[in-house]
Short mmCIF file of all heavy atoms in Angstrom, two decimals:
data_model
loop_
_atom_site.label_atom_id
_atom_site.label_comp_id
_atom_site.label_asym_id
_atom_site.label_seq_id
_atom_site.Cartn_x
_atom_site.Cartn_y
_atom_site.Cartn_z
N PHE A 23 16.94 5.41 11.02
CA PHE A 23 16.74 4.99 12.39
C PHE A 23 15.29 4.47 12.57
O PHE A 23 14.98 3.46 13.15
CB PHE A 23 16.92 6.13 13.24
CG PHE A 23 16.83 5.75 14.80
CD1 PHE A 23 17.61 4.87 15.27
CD2 PHE A 23 15.84 6.33 15.58
CE1 PHE A 23 17.46 4.54 16.70
CE2 PHE A 23 15.65 5.98 16.79
CZ PHE A 23 16.52 5.10 17.43
N GLY A 24 14.37 5.05 11.72
CA GLY A 24 12.96 4.64 11.67
C GLY A 24 12.87 3.25 11.01
O GLY A 24 12.05 2.35 11.46
N ALA A 25 13.67 2.98 10.01
CA ALA A 25 13.69 1.69 9.37
C ALA A 25 14.28 0.59 10.32
O ALA A 25 13.75 -0.58 10.34
CB ALA A 25 14.47 1.68 8.07
N ILE A 26 15.22 0.90 11.02
CA ILE A 26 15.87 -0.02 12.07
C ILE A 26 14.87 -0.25 13.18
O ILE A 26 14.66 -1.41 13.57
CB ILE A 26 17.11 0.61 12.62
CG1 ILE A 26 18.19 0.57 11.48
CG2 ILE A 26 17.71 -0.25 13.75
CD1 ILE A 26 19.58 1.37 11.87
N LEU A 27 14.23 0.71 13.66
CA LEU A 27 13.20 0.44 14.77
C LEU A 27 12.01 -0.38 14.06
O LEU A 27 11.53 -1.23 14.97
CB LEU A 27 12.69 1.89 15.13
CG LEU A 27 13.39 2.66 16.15
CD1 LEU A 27 12.72 3.96 16.51
CD2 LEU A 27 13.67 1.92 17.41
N THR A 28 11.62 -0.10 12.85
CA THR A 28 10.60 -0.92 12.37
C THR A 28 11.01 -2.40 12.18
O THR A 28 10.21 -3.28 12.56
CB THR A 28 10.23 -0.33 11.04
OG1 THR A 28 9.85 0.95 11.09
CG2 THR A 28 8.98 -1.18 10.31
N ALA A 29 12.30 -2.56 11.81
CA ALA A 29 12.76 -4.02 11.63
C ALA A 29 12.86 -4.68 13.06
O ALA A 29 12.42 -5.91 13.26
CB ALA A 29 14.11 -4.07 11.01
N LEU A 30 13.24 -4.07 14.16
CA LEU A 30 13.32 -4.47 15.35
C LEU A 30 12.00 -4.82 15.93
O LEU A 30 11.71 -5.81 16.65
CB LEU A 30 14.11 -3.50 16.31
CG LEU A 30 15.56 -3.32 16.25
CD1 LEU A 30 15.97 -2.27 17.18
CD2 LEU A 30 16.10 -4.74 16.69
N GLY A 31 10.97 -4.06 15.56
CA GLY A 31 9.67 -4.24 15.95
C GLY A 31 8.95 -5.39 15.36
O GLY A 31 8.29 -6.21 15.97
N ILE A 32 9.32 -5.57 14.02
CA ILE A 32 8.85 -6.79 13.37
C ILE A 32 9.42 -7.98 14.03
O ILE A 32 8.76 -9.04 14.14
CB ILE A 32 9.13 -6.71 11.87
CG1 ILE A 32 8.27 -5.68 11.24
CG2 ILE A 32 8.84 -8.05 11.15
CD1 ILE A 32 8.58 -5.35 9.83
N GLY A 33 10.71 -7.96 14.21
CA GLY A 33 11.29 -9.08 14.81
C GLY A 33 10.85 -9.38 16.28
O GLY A 33 10.75 -10.51 16.69
N GLY A 34 10.55 -8.48 17.07
CA GLY A 34 9.92 -8.60 18.30
C GLY A 34 8.61 -9.17 18.28
O GLY A 34 8.23 -10.22 19.04
N LEU A 35 7.70 -8.82 17.25
CA LEU A 35 6.36 -9.39 17.23
C LEU A 35 6.46 -10.83 16.65
O LEU A 35 5.57 -11.62 17.06
CB LEU A 35 5.57 -8.46 16.11
CG LEU A 35 5.24 -7.07 16.77
CD1 LEU A 35 4.56 -6.30 15.66
CD2 LEU A 35 4.43 -7.24 17.90
N ILE A 36 7.46 -11.05 15.69
CA ILE A 36 7.51 -12.47 15.29
C ILE A 36 8.05 -13.33 16.37
O ILE A 36 7.57 -14.52 16.50
CB ILE A 36 8.58 -12.59 14.04
CG1 ILE A 36 7.91 -11.92 12.87
CG2 ILE A 36 8.95 -13.93 13.75
CD1 ILE A 36 8.78 -11.71 11.66
N TYR A 37 9.04 -12.94 17.17
CA TYR A 37 9.49 -13.63 18.35
C TYR A 37 8.24 -13.90 19.31
O TYR A 37 8.14 -15.00 19.93
CB TYR A 37 10.61 -12.89 19.03
CG TYR A 37 11.23 -13.70 20.14
CD1 TYR A 37 11.96 -14.93 19.80
CD2 TYR A 37 11.17 -13.46 21.51
CE1 TYR A 37 12.52 -15.67 20.78
CE2 TYR A 37 11.76 -14.10 22.42
CZ TYR A 37 12.41 -15.23 22.19
OH TYR A 37 12.98 -16.03 23.15
N THR A 38 7.43 -12.92 19.52
CA THR A 38 6.28 -13.10 20.37
C THR A 38 5.36 -14.23 19.85
O THR A 38 4.84 -14.99 20.55
CB THR A 38 5.54 -11.80 20.61
OG1 THR A 38 6.42 -10.80 21.12
CG2 THR A 38 4.34 -11.91 21.53
N ALA A 39 5.16 -14.13 18.56
CA ALA A 39 4.29 -15.22 17.94
C ALA A 39 4.83 -16.62 18.14
O ALA A 39 4.12 -17.54 18.40
CB ALA A 39 4.07 -14.93 16.43
N ILE A 40 6.28 -16.71 17.94
CA ILE A 40 6.89 -18.00 18.21
C ILE A 40 6.79 -18.47 19.64
O ILE A 40 6.43 -19.59 19.95
CB ILE A 40 8.34 -17.94 17.71
CG1 ILE A 40 8.42 -17.78 16.29
CG2 ILE A 40 9.07 -19.16 18.31
CD1 ILE A 40 9.92 -17.41 15.68
N LEU A 41 6.97 -17.51 20.61
CA LEU A 41 6.76 -17.90 21.91
C LEU A 41 5.33 -18.30 22.28
O LEU A 41 5.10 -19.22 23.06
CB LEU A 41 7.18 -16.72 22.87
CG LEU A 41 8.63 -16.55 23.07
CD1 LEU A 41 8.85 -15.30 24.10
CD2 LEU A 41 9.33 -17.62 23.62
N PHE A 42 4.23 -17.64 21.66
CA PHE A 42 2.94 -17.85 21.91
C PHE A 42 2.58 -19.25 21.36
O PHE A 42 1.79 -20.05 22.05
CB PHE A 42 2.03 -16.86 21.21
CG PHE A 42 0.71 -17.02 21.34
CD1 PHE A 42 -0.01 -16.81 22.56
CD2 PHE A 42 -0.15 -17.54 20.34
CE1 PHE A 42 -1.49 -17.06 22.73
CE2 PHE A 42 -1.55 -17.71 20.55
CZ PHE A 42 -2.11 -17.49 21.79
N ALA A 43 3.24 -19.68 20.36
CA ALA A 43 2.94 -21.07 19.69
C ALA A 43 3.56 -22.10 20.53
O ALA A 43 2.95 -23.34 20.61
CB ALA A 43 3.47 -21.13 18.32
N ASN A 44 4.66 -21.91 21.26
CA ASN A 44 5.37 -22.83 22.08
C ASN A 44 5.12 -22.72 23.54
O ASN A 44 5.78 -23.38 24.42
CB ASN A 44 6.79 -22.78 21.87
CG ASN A 44 7.27 -23.07 20.44
OD1 ASN A 44 6.45 -23.89 19.75
ND2 ASN A 44 8.22 -22.51 19.95
N THR A 45 4.07 -21.91 24.03
CA THR A 45 3.95 -21.62 25.43
C THR A 45 3.12 -22.67 26.01
O THR A 45 2.30 -23.45 25.41
CB THR A 45 3.20 -20.32 25.65
OG1 THR A 45 3.25 -20.01 27.11
CG2 THR A 45 1.77 -20.29 25.21
N SER A 46 3.35 -23.09 27.42
CA SER A 46 2.53 -23.99 28.09
C SER A 46 1.54 -23.39 29.07
O SER A 46 0.68 -24.03 29.69
CB SER A 46 3.52 -24.92 28.87
OG SER A 46 4.25 -24.07 29.78
N GLY A 47 1.63 -21.99 29.19
CA GLY A 47 0.70 -21.37 30.00
C GLY A 47 1.24 -20.92 31.38
O GLY A 47 0.51 -20.59 32.33
N ALA A 48 2.54 -21.05 31.76
CA ALA A 48 3.03 -20.69 32.88
C ALA A 48 3.16 -19.28 33.11
O ALA A 48 3.09 -18.56 32.17
CB ALA A 48 4.47 -21.42 33.13
N ASN A 49 3.24 -18.84 34.38
CA ASN A 49 3.42 -17.40 34.63
C ASN A 49 4.57 -16.79 33.93
O ASN A 49 4.53 -15.63 33.44
CB ASN A 49 3.47 -17.10 36.10
CG ASN A 49 2.28 -16.63 36.75
OD1 ASN A 49 1.26 -16.35 36.07
ND2 ASN A 49 2.31 -16.52 38.02
N LYS A 50 5.66 -17.42 33.87
CA LYS A 50 6.82 -16.88 33.21
C LYS A 50 6.68 -16.74 31.77
O LYS A 50 7.07 -15.72 31.15
CB LYS A 50 8.05 -17.77 33.45
CG LYS A 50 9.38 -17.24 32.97
CD LYS A 50 10.49 -18.39 33.30
CE LYS A 50 11.75 -17.74 32.57
NZ LYS A 50 12.86 -18.83 32.75
N ASP A 51 5.93 -17.71 31.20
CA ASP A 51 5.66 -17.60 29.71
C ASP A 51 4.71 -16.39 29.41
O ASP A 51 4.93 -15.71 28.46
CB ASP A 51 4.93 -18.89 29.28
CG ASP A 51 5.97 -20.06 29.34
OD1 ASP A 51 7.25 -19.93 29.22
OD2 ASP A 51 5.36 -21.18 29.36
N ILE A 52 3.78 -16.18 30.23
CA ILE A 52 2.87 -15.13 29.90
C ILE A 52 3.56 -13.71 30.15
O ILE A 52 3.29 -12.73 29.37
CB ILE A 52 1.60 -15.18 30.85
CG1 ILE A 52 0.87 -16.41 30.51
CG2 ILE A 52 0.67 -14.06 30.80
CD1 ILE A 52 -0.30 -16.73 31.48
N LYS A 53 4.39 -13.48 31.16
CA LYS A 53 5.13 -12.27 31.35
C LYS A 53 6.05 -12.05 30.18
O LYS A 53 6.21 -10.90 29.79
CB LYS A 53 5.96 -12.41 32.71
CG LYS A 53 5.10 -12.29 33.87
CD LYS A 53 6.06 -12.27 35.15
CE LYS A 53 5.14 -12.39 36.34
NZ LYS A 53 6.05 -12.51 37.55
N SER A 54 6.84 -13.03 29.68
CA SER A 54 7.71 -12.82 28.58
C SER A 54 6.84 -12.48 27.27
O SER A 54 7.33 -11.72 26.48
CB SER A 54 8.59 -13.99 28.28
OG SER A 54 7.88 -15.14 28.01
N LEU A 55 5.71 -13.16 27.11
CA LEU A 55 4.79 -12.73 25.98
C LEU A 55 4.39 -11.41 26.04
O LEU A 55 4.39 -10.74 24.95
CB LEU A 55 3.59 -13.68 25.88
CG LEU A 55 3.74 -14.96 25.28
CD1 LEU A 55 2.41 -15.86 25.57
CD2 LEU A 55 4.02 -14.98 23.84
N ILE A 56 4.05 -10.86 27.21
CA ILE A 56 3.62 -9.40 27.34
C ILE A 56 4.77 -8.56 27.18
O ILE A 56 4.54 -7.51 26.34
CB ILE A 56 2.88 -9.26 28.58
CG1 ILE A 56 1.55 -9.99 28.71
CG2 ILE A 56 2.72 -7.68 28.93
CD1 ILE A 56 1.01 -9.99 30.12
N ILE A 57 5.90 -8.76 27.69
CA ILE A 57 7.00 -7.77 27.57
C ILE A 57 7.50 -7.88 26.06
O ILE A 57 7.61 -6.62 25.60
CB ILE A 57 8.20 -8.34 28.43
CG1 ILE A 57 7.79 -8.11 29.84
CG2 ILE A 57 9.50 -7.59 28.14
CD1 ILE A 57 8.78 -8.75 30.76
N TYR A 58 7.75 -8.88 25.37
CA TYR A 58 8.17 -8.90 24.13
C TYR A 58 7.17 -8.36 23.00
O TYR A 58 7.47 -7.60 22.08
CB TYR A 58 8.60 -10.30 23.51
CG TYR A 58 9.80 -10.75 24.22
CD1 TYR A 58 10.04 -12.01 24.85
CD2 TYR A 58 10.99 -9.90 24.34
CE1 TYR A 58 11.09 -12.49 25.50
CE2 TYR A 58 12.14 -10.39 24.98
CZ TYR A 58 12.09 -11.84 25.55
OH TYR A 58 13.35 -12.06 26.19
N GLY A 59 5.91 -8.71 23.37
CA GLY A 59 4.80 -8.09 22.49
C GLY A 59 4.74 -6.61 22.57
O GLY A 59 4.63 -5.87 21.60
N VAL A 60 4.67 -6.14 23.69
CA VAL A 60 4.68 -4.61 23.93
C VAL A 60 5.89 -3.92 23.34
O VAL A 60 5.74 -2.96 22.69
CB VAL A 60 4.40 -4.20 25.51
CG1 VAL A 60 4.61 -2.72 25.69
CG2 VAL A 60 3.08 -4.69 25.94
#
Side-chain angles (χ1 to χ4, degrees):
F23 187 62
I26 291 171
L27 280 177
T28 304
L30 284 174
I32 290 171
L35 292 174
I36 289 173
Y37 186 65
T38 303
I40 291 170
L41 284 180
F42 181 72
N44 296 330
T45 189
S46 63
N49 255 352
K50 184 179 178 185
D51 294 335
I52 294 172
K53 285 180 185 178
S54 63
L55 279 173
I56 291 171
I57 290 170
Y58 291 129
V60 167

